[in-house]
């Protein structure tokens, strides 16, 4: 691992706790859970006892109370163990952040604290079958039903949906207004009219639980709306700005693991009478891996620091997420190449890392969408 210069003793200790958990609890079972596409419920429950989930939730709301920067330190280590675990463990932060950012004090107490204290799960419900990147095109609707809001629609690719006891749902109150008509609501899983689909059979991050969620005339209490009607788009974008450094940290963890495996293997594997690490072609690949990993981490840390300082960071968080995701895909592909035929088999860890990395270029804003965000921010000046 490259040196983490400038971290405080407390931050180093936090990172070491997370790395030890990844080494002892996650890595030994990651491959078998990937093979079976099995959700690691018991291990995640253990992580709750150590404060390794609900990372950015304030202590007074039963969370760990970490800054975004410190959360990134933890998440990189968990993803170094297994990206599927990391996605599952970070999903609560993503789902609870809209409430943390825009909810009233009473809503924070009612909708955040019970989840964080109990170790239960919450899911962020934004993407839909026909609206992923196009948030303004959401088809899910919310209507004023007098004493309740009436919610109808379907969400797709929802992390932890099968295990969640609560959903943070984005829906349109007036589709003619596009993004200006979006709303954010907290919906208990137990509400009548909610159905959850099967666990998706994914290429990578297979142990993370990913399902569809359907809402059929679901009655949601009026005081479960976060912010005012029409503020949902702003809340969603603020949430994603805050979450992108954490997602980027997952990419950094994957890439770091792949580089470490490739480096060790290159010293052991011999061809033409010499370790392949002595060949310049392999050395160049390793050098490029180390460079983009370090660059990814620094971009991620910068965006996290800016958010923690309360500064605008849309362009920086998009840069971090885009570069880290694309770099993880590149690094894991090169790691498989260094392993050669062995790297293409499930007997070695790099093929899983390559499959896991691909998702980083897709969820929470594709790499192409991040480029659009970056360009728009640049053009605004």
């Amino acid at each position: 691992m490259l040196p983490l210069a400038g971290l405080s003793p407390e931050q180093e200790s936090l990172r070491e706790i997370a790395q030890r958990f990844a080494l002892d609890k996650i890595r030994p079972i990651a491959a078998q859970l990937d093979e079976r596409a099995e959700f690691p419920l018991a291990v995640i429950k253990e992580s709750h006892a150590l404060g390794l989930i609900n990372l950015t939730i304030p202590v007074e709301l039963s969370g760990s109370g970490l800054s975004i920067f410190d959360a990134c330190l933890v998440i990189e280590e968990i993803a170094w163990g297994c990206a599927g675990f990391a996605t599952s463990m970070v999903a609560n932060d993503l789902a609870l952040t809209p409430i943390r950012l825009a909810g009233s004090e009473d809503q924070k107490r009612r909708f955040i604290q019970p989840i964080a204290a109990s170790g239960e799960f919450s899911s962020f419900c934004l993407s839909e079958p026909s609206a992923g990147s196009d948030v303004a095109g959401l088809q899910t609707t919310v209507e004023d039903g007098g004493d309740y809001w009436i919610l109808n629609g379907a969400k797709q690719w929802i992390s932890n949906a099968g295990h969640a006891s609560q959903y943070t749902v984005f829906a349109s109150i007036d589709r003619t207004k596009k993004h200006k008509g979006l709303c954010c609501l907290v919906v208990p899983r137990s509400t009548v009219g909610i159905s959850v689909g099967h666990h998706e059979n994914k290429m990578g991050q297979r142990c993370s639980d990913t399902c569809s969620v359907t809402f059929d005339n679901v009655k949601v209490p009026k005081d479960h709306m976060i912010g005012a009607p029409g503020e949902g788009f702003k809340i969603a974008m603020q949430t994603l700005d805050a979450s992108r450094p954490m997602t980027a940290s997952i990419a950094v963890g994957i890439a770091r693991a792949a580089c470490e495996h490739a480096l060790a293997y290159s010293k052991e594997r011999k061809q033409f009478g010499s370790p392949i690490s002595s060949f310049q072609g392999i050395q160049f690949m390793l050098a490029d891996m180390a460079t983009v990993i370090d660059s990814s981490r620094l971009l991620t840390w910068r965006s996290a620091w800016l958010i923690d300082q309360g500064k605008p960071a849309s362009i920086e968080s998009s840069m971090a997420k885009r570069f880290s995701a694309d770099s993880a895909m590149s690094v894991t592909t090169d790691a498989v190449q260094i392993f050669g035929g062995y790297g293409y088999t499930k007997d070695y860890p790099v093929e899983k890392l390559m499959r896991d990395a691909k998702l980083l270029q897709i969820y929470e804003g594709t790499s192409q969408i991040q480029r659009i965000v970056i360009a728009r921010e640049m053009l605004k000046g």
Side-chain angles (χ1 to χ4, degrees):
M1 179 178 177
L2 296 171
L4 298 180
L7 297 184
S8 69
E10 293 78 14
Q11 288 170 325
E12 284 285 9
S13 176
L14 179 66
R15 185 189 63 78
E16 288 170 6
I17 290 170
Q19 187 181 74
R20 176 53 57 184
F21 186 82
L23 188 64
D24 292 346
K25 300 293 185 177
I26 296 176
R27 280 199 164 185
I29 60 173
Q32 69 184 50
L33 293 182
D34 174 78
E35 186 72 23
R36 300 198 300 248
E38 181 181 332
F39 186 71
L41 181 60
V43 178
I44 294 180
K45 289 291 186 181
E46 288 187 56
S47 77
H48 176 259
L50 289 174
L52 297 178
I53 62 172
N54 305 309
L55 296 169
T56 61
I57 303 305
V59 172
E60 58 268 25
L61 294 175
S62 302
S64 297
L66 299 184
S67 65
I68 299 290
F69 186 97
D70 288 352
C72 287
L73 300 178
V74 171
I75 293 163
E76 180 183 331
E77 301 306 322
I78 299 301
W80 173 83
C82 174
F85 273 83
T87 292
S88 301
M89 292 167 66
V90 175
N92 266 20
D93 281 278
L94 178 62
L96 299 177
T97 292
I99 311 167
R100 177 175 63 82
L101 293 177
S104 67
E105 292 305 312
D106 177 64
Q107 287 174 327
K108 293 175 186 178
R109 179 184 56 79
R110 288 190 292 133
F111 302 139
I112 294 179
Q113 190 162 26
I115 296 290
S118 66
E120 294 180 351
F121 298 98
S122 184
S123 292
F124 181 79
C125 298
L126 182 63
S127 294
E128 296 184 358
S130 59
S133 298
D134 181 15
V135 176
L138 294 185
Q139 305 291 306
T140 300
T141 60
V142 55
E143 300 176 18
D144 191 338
D147 294 334
Y148 297 91
W149 298 110
I150 308 298
L151 185 65
N152 281 285
K155 296 296 180 178
Q156 187 74 31
W157 320 121
I158 306 305
S159 295
N160 291 356
H163 295 270
S165 59
Q166 176 178 292
Y167 302 115
T168 304
V169 183
F170 292 85
S172 178
I173 199 167
D174 185 349
R175 290 183 57 203
T176 66
K177 293 182 178 179
K178 298 185 178 180
H179 69 279
K180 294 183 179 179
L182 298 186
C183 304
C184 177
L185 303 99
V186 175
V187 186
R189 167 75 174 272
S190 59
T191 310
V192 175
I194 296 176
S195 57
V196 179
H198 62 82
H199 173 65
E200 299 289 348
N201 189 12
K202 306 190 299 292
M203 174 193 292
Q205 300 200 24
R206 289 170 51 77
C207 75
S208 68
D209 180 56
T210 309
C211 306
S212 62
V213 184
T214 303
F215 304 94
D216 183 10
N217 289 320
V218 173
K219 293 181 178 180
V220 183
K222 283 294 185 72
D223 62 357
H224 283 221
M225 182 173 284
I226 305 301
E231 291 185 344
F233 183 80
K234 179 182 72 174
I235 294 170
M237 294 304 102
Q238 290 174 339
T239 298
L240 292 173
D241 280 351
S243 71
R244 282 184 187 125
M246 295 190 284
T247 307
S249 292
I250 298 177
V252 176
I254 294 172
R256 193 183 106 211
C259 183
E260 290 175 2
H261 286 303
L263 179 63
Y265 184 79
S266 73
K267 295 177 181 179
E268 299 168 1
R269 174 68 169 171
K270 291 186 177 181
Q271 290 288 277
F272 308 104
S274 300
I276 62 172
S277 60
S278 66
F279 303 147
Q280 191 177 66
I282 300 296
Q283 291 173 1
F284 282 4
M285 294 169 76
L286 293 170
D288 288 346
M289 286 180 181
T291 301
V292 297
I293 291 168
D294 211 24
S295 300
S296 297
R297 184 182 292 113
L298 291 172
L299 281 170
T300 300
W301 284 3
R302 179 183 68 165
S303 64
W305 181 86
L306 286 169
I307 294 167
D308 287 338
Q309 301 305 308
K311 299 178 184 293
S314 290
I315 190 169
E316 290 84 2
S317 65
S318 286
M319 284 180 173
K321 200 273 183 181
R322 198 289 298 169
F323 187 82
S324 298
D326 290 349
S327 295
M329 195 69 242
S330 173
V331 168
T332 55
T333 300
D334 282 350
V336 170
Q337 190 70 21
I338 288 173
F339 273 76
Y342 293 107
Y344 202 66
T345 71
K346 293 183 182 295
D347 295 329
Y348 290 82
V350 288
E351 67 85 27
K352 175 184 179 298
L353 292 168
M354 183 177 173
R355 289 187 286 106
D356 288 347
K358 185 59 195 174
L359 186 55
L360 272 298
Q361 294 180 303
I362 298 172
Y363 71 178
E364 289 197 45
T366 66
S367 292
Q368 289 70 33
I369 286 294
Q370 304 306 331
R371 287 176 170 89
I372 291 173
V373 173
I374 293 165
R376 284 179 178 171
E377 293 294 320
M378 291 172 64
L379 293 168
K380 285 180 187 176

